[in-house]
Amino acid sequence: MTASEIQLASRLSAVKPSASMAASLAARALRAQGTDVIDLGLGEPDFPTPRHVIEAAHDAALAGQTLYTAAAGTPALRAAIAAKFRNENGFDCSPDDITVANGAKQIIFNALMATLNDGDEVILPAPYFVSYPEMVKLLGGTPVMPVCPAEGGFRLTPEILQSAITPRTRWLFLNMPGNPSGAVYSEAELQALGAVLARHPQIMVLSDEIYEHILFDGRSFLSFARACPDLRPRSLIVNGVAKAYAMTGWRIGYAAGPSALIRAMNTVQSQSVTSVAAPMQAAALAALTGPQDCVATFRAAFERRRDLVVRGINAIPGLTLAPPEGAFYAYIGCAGLIGRRTPAGGLLADDTAVVQYLLNHAHVGAVPGAAYGLSPYFRISTATSDVLLQDAIDRIARAVSALSEAK
Ligand SMILES: Cc1ncc(COP(=O)(O)O)c(C=O)c1O
C-alpha cells in the first residue's frame, strides 16, 4: 500500500500536529545544516531531573516494580497525590478519586474521551495551550475559543465566558498560570467565573494547574478547587510533575475529580495504555514526597529569566511584553513589526511570517501566536540558560533593526 492509498480516519482531517513541536523541528532542521540556532520553541525546563528522583526509579525497578499497575496508578502514588492536594492546595479528596496517566496531556485526553459526544463544545479561552483544541477535535468535540485580550491580562472574564456558553457546552478549560500568557487568576476572578458556571450545571471545569509552582513576584497559588468549592462535584483538577520537577520526559500527570468521571477515565486508560510504567510512578512518588528545594531553585531561576526577557524585549522597538505572572514563557506582542519588510524584501504580513523571519535571519526558534488563537504575538520559552536567552534577545534586536520601516 502506498502512502497515498492509506485511508486516514476522518476525525484526523481537522487536527494539526503540535505547533510547538513543529517549530522545534524547523529549528532542529536548520541546526542539522550547521546553523547555530537558539531554539526557544519547546517549553521544557533545562534543569536535570533531581538525582533522588532518578534513583527512586532505578531502585524501584531493581526491587521488582516492573509489572503492570492499577490503571489509576499505584496506591502509594495516589495517596501521595491526595496528600499533596490537601497540604499544598487545601482540598481533600480520596485516593480513589485520583488518576495517574502518561502526562497531564493524557489526563486531558482521557477526560475528553470519557465525556465528549460529537458536537459537544469545549470553551478554551485564547490564548490557549496548543494541544487543547486539537484534542477536542480529535475526540469529536467543537472547540470554542473566545479571545481574552492583553488589556484584560489575557484572562477570561465572566462576560466573555457567558457569551461563549451554549446549550452544547460541556467543558470550560482554565489554565493557570497560563501557557503561553503566564496569566494568573485572583480568588475574586475565579469566583466571578464560578458564579457564571453556577447558572449552567451542565458545564464541567478542567483546571490545568501544571505550572502552579512557577509563580513570580511573591504570588502564592490558588487552586480552582479551593476558590470554588461548590463546583468541586464537576471540576477536574489537573497537574503533573513535568514542569515543577524538570521531568517532562518521564511522562507523569495526575488529576482529582468526581468519582464517576475518574472511573470513566480509568476505563479509557485501562483499554488504551493499561497503566503508566511502574518505575516512572515510583519516580513521581519520590518527586512529590522527597526534598522540595529543587522546586524553589527552579522557580527563582525562571523569575530571574522572566526579568531578563521583559527588560530585553521591551527595549526592542516594535515588540511589547507585559511581565508574565508565572510559567516559563513570554508571549510577545509584535504588532509593531507587521507590515514591515525583511532585508530580502519579504513582507511580515502576520506573526507566522515574523517567526519565520526570526528563525531564518536571527536563528532564534519561536512559535507564532496564531497557534495559540491570538495574534499578532509570538511565544518564546524562557526555560533555557540566561546566557542563551540574552544571546537570543540580542539576535532578535539585530534582526528587528534590519527591517525596513513601516510605510
Ligand atoms: C498548559 C499545559 N498543560 C499540559 C502540558 C503537558 O504536560 P505533560 O508534559 O505532563 O503532559 C503542557 C506542556 O507544555 C502545558 O503547557
Side-chain angles (χ1 to χ4, degrees):
M1 202 177 242
T2 67
S4 61
E5 284 166 348
I6 294 174
Q7 296 276 321
L8 297 180
S10 52
R11 66 177 169 277
L12 264 177
S13 61
V15 176
K16 298 190 287 273
S18 160
S20 42
M21 289 277 190
S24 201
L25 282 179
R28 271 183 225 173
L30 197 59
R31 189 178 287 149
Q33 293 164 21
T35 308
D36 164 30
V37 177
I38 303 176
D39 179 13
L40 304 181
L42 266 190
E44 44 184 354
D46 54 317
F47 309 110
T49 299
R51 192 178 177 88
H52 69 275
V53 172
I54 299 174
E55 283 169 354
H58 183 234
D59 292 349
L62 288 176
Q65 290 184 41
T66 51
L67 305 173
Y68 298 131
T69 75
T74 62
L77 178 54
R78 281 182 289 129
I81 294 166
K84 175 254 180 294
F85 281 135
R86 186 168 52 251
N87 301 333
E88 290 188 346
N89 303 121
F91 70 91
D92 282 315
C93 66
S94 156
D96 291 340
D97 295 338
I98 286 171
T99 183
V100 177
N102 291 290
K105 275 171 96 165
Q106 197 190 19
I107 290 281
I108 299 167
F109 192 91
N110 288 351
L112 293 173
M113 173 75 107
T115 54
L116 284 190
N117 287 311
D118 282 355
D120 283 348
E121 293 175 3
V122 180
I123 299 177
L124 309 173
Y128 43 71
F129 172 42
V130 288
S131 292
Y132 293 157
E134 307 311 315
M135 285 198 214
V136 170
K137 287 187 276 180
L138 199 51
L139 295 167
T142 303
V144 174
M145 300 167 283
V147 166
C148 303
E151 303 77 70
F154 301 108
R155 279 184 281 271
L156 181 69
T157 62
E159 296 72 31
I160 299 174
L161 171 59
Q162 182 60 61
S163 66
I165 293 174
T166 78
R168 298 229 59 176
T169 308
R170 287 282 277 148
W171 284 98
L172 164 66
F173 277 29
L174 291 175
N175 171 214
M176 50 200 194
N179 170 10
S181 69
V184 176
Y185 289 78
S186 70
E187 183 167 20
E189 286 164 341
L190 290 176
Q191 289 175 347
L193 296 175
V196 175
L197 294 166
R199 300 197 293 271
H200 300 276
Q202 88 279 12
I203 304 178
M204 293 182 288
V205 180
L206 186 150
S207 184
D208 181 342
E209 306 183 350
I210 194 141
Y211 295 101
E212 72 160 311
H213 290 296
I214 306 168
L215 277 177
F216 308 139
D217 309 313
R219 287 182 176 81
S220 51
F221 184 74
L222 177 66
S223 172
F224 184 78
R226 177 79 176 172
C228 296
D230 293 350
L231 295 178
R232 281 279 318 279
R234 50 184 165 120
S235 301
L236 186 69
I237 307 301
V238 178
N239 212 317
V241 295
K243 314 289 178 173
Y245 300 96
M247 292 176 68
T248 49
W250 296 72
R251 311 307 304 128
I252 300 274
Y254 55 85
S259 312
L261 174 60
I262 296 292
R263 268 201 309 276
M265 290 168 65
N266 290 338
T267 302
V268 173
Q269 175 94 337
S270 70
Q271 297 296 9
S272 50
V273 297
T274 302
S275 66
V276 173
M280 304 299 119
Q281 295 192 60
L285 177 62
L288 291 175
T289 57
Q292 298 296 303
D293 44 320
C294 58
V295 177
T297 307
F298 298 162
R299 196 211 60 77
F302 289 131
E303 181 158 349
R304 191 182 61 239
R305 294 166 180 180
R306 189 270 318 247
D307 292 343
L308 181 158
V309 169
V310 169
R311 252 193 330 270
I313 291 295
N314 284 316
I316 302 175
L319 298 182
T320 51
L321 175 63
E325 296 161 333
F328 43 65
Y329 305 101
Y331 201 49
I332 300 169
C334 58
L337 306 191
I338 304 301
R340 294 172 68 177
R341 288 201 181 267
T342 70
L347 176 68
L348 298 186
D350 54 24
D351 53 27
T352 302
V354 170
V355 163
Q356 199 71 51
Y357 173 65
L358 292 180
L359 181 61
N360 293 331
H361 196 92
H363 303 149
V364 173
V367 188
Y372 306 95
L374 184 57
S375 293
Y377 290 85
F378 63 89
R379 188 195 81 170
I380 61 171
S381 160
T382 58
T384 193
S385 73
D386 300 37
V387 171
L388 275 182
L389 275 177
Q390 189 57 58
D391 189 358
I393 290 166
D394 295 343
R395 291 178 185 205
I396 293 172
R398 282 196 298 275
V400 168
S401 69
L403 294 171
S404 72
E405 283 311 312
K407 297 239 166 51

